């Protein structure tokens, strides 16, 4: 379940409520945040099914006055490298002026009767800062159907460092609202960072 808020204590409480290795997750996130104030956060737990195993994953997004912090924690079953189950956690700290895009996709049921302020059925928050890019290429062509010249390739480069999908059916309406609020806070922080100083 995702939670959003504006205090370090609230962030810690949301991590504990998720119930997903809270001591491990909190230590990793708090270490990355350091002494900065927490402006906004989202804690999102996702359960996936891999063959006959159930795996959990938690993503924590934190906005501070100067940085965007993302933390991922995954659990793994015992394998050849470890005789016992284990978890891996990673954090990345990104300066706000490095974020190149914040994309918020909304899925709305019955768009013909949509009222402003109505909650989307699903949202996908995609944040790019240049660590991971995806390039989709296809052969370029001209308008002449008889042309057999090589026109090279055309395509799109997409920043795709983080994509977080939440839905009303799977995560609840509060999670959707909280993700919308975090996306707005992040967009406003980036705009303030990019604003010219006088």
């Amino acid at each position: 379940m995702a939670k959003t808020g504006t205090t370090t204590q609230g962030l810690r409480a949301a991590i504990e409520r998720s119930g997903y290795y809270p001591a491990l997750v909190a230590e990793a996130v708090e270490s990355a945040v350091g002494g900065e104030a927490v402006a906004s956060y989202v804690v999102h737990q996702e359960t996936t099914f891999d063959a006959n195993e159930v795996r959990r994953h938690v993503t924590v997004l934190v906005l501070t006055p100067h940085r965007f912090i993302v933390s991922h924690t995954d659990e793994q079953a015992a394998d050849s490298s470890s005789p016992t189950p284990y978890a891996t956690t990673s954090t990345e700290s990104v300066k706000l002026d490095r974020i190149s895009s914040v994309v918020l996709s909304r899925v709305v049921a019955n768009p013909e009767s949509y009222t402003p302020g109505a909650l989307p059925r699903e949202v996908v928050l995609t944040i790019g800062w240049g660590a991971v890019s995806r390039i989709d290429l296809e052969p370029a062509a001209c308008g002449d159907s008889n042309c057999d010249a090589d026109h090279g390739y055309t395509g799109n480069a997409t920043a795709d460092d983080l994509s977080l999908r939440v839905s009303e059916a799977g995560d609840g309406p509060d999670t959707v609202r909280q993700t919308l609020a975090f996306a707005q806070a992040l967009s406003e922080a980036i705009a303030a960072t990019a604003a010219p100083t006088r």
Side-chain angles (χ1 to χ4, degrees), residues 45-51 53-57 74-75:
Q45 183 179 321
E46 181 179 13
T47 303
T48 57
F49 300 93
D50 182 15
E53 294 180 358
V54 177
R55 294 192 180 186
R56 295 180 298 166
H57 173 89
D74 292 285
E75 65 182 355

Side-chain angles (χ1 to χ4, degrees), residues 84-101:
T84 60
Y86 61 99
T88 58
T89 186
S90 63
T91 57
E92 184 171 0
S93 175
V94 182
K95 290 170 61 175
L96 291 179
D97 62 3
R98 285 203 44 225
I99 296 178
S100 56
S101 67

Side-chain angles (χ1 to χ4, degrees), residues 68-154:
F68 164 69
I69 297 164
V70 58
S71 174
H72 295 287
T73 304
D74 292 285
E75 65 182 355
Q76 307 292 331
D79 58 22
S80 60
S81 68
S82 175
T84 60
Y86 61 99
T88 58
T89 186
S90 63
T91 57
E92 184 171 0
S93 175
V94 182
K95 290 170 61 175
L96 291 179
D97 62 3
R98 285 203 44 225
I99 296 178
S100 56
S101 67
V102 177
V103 180
L104 185 67
S105 300
R106 302 168 191 241
V107 177
V108 177
N110 303 313
E112 69 282 353
S113 59
Y114 176 78
T115 18
L119 197 62
R121 183 175 71 192
E122 174 182 313
V123 296
V124 178
L125 174 61
T126 304
I127 303 167
W129 57 91
V132 178
S133 293
R134 183 181 70 238
I135 299 177
D136 296 319
L137 294 176
E138 61 185 39
C142 67
D144 182 358
S145 60
N146 296 321
C147 180
D148 61 357
D150 182 356
H151 294 286
Y153 289 88
T154 185

Side-chain angles (χ1 to χ4, degrees), residues 17 24 32 40 71 74 96 102 131 136 147 157-158 167-168 176 180 183 194:
R17 276 193 305 276
L24 174 65
S40 187
S71 174
D74 292 285
L96 291 179
V102 177
D136 296 319
C147 180
T158 308
S167 68
E168 186 176 17
V176 174
L180 291 169

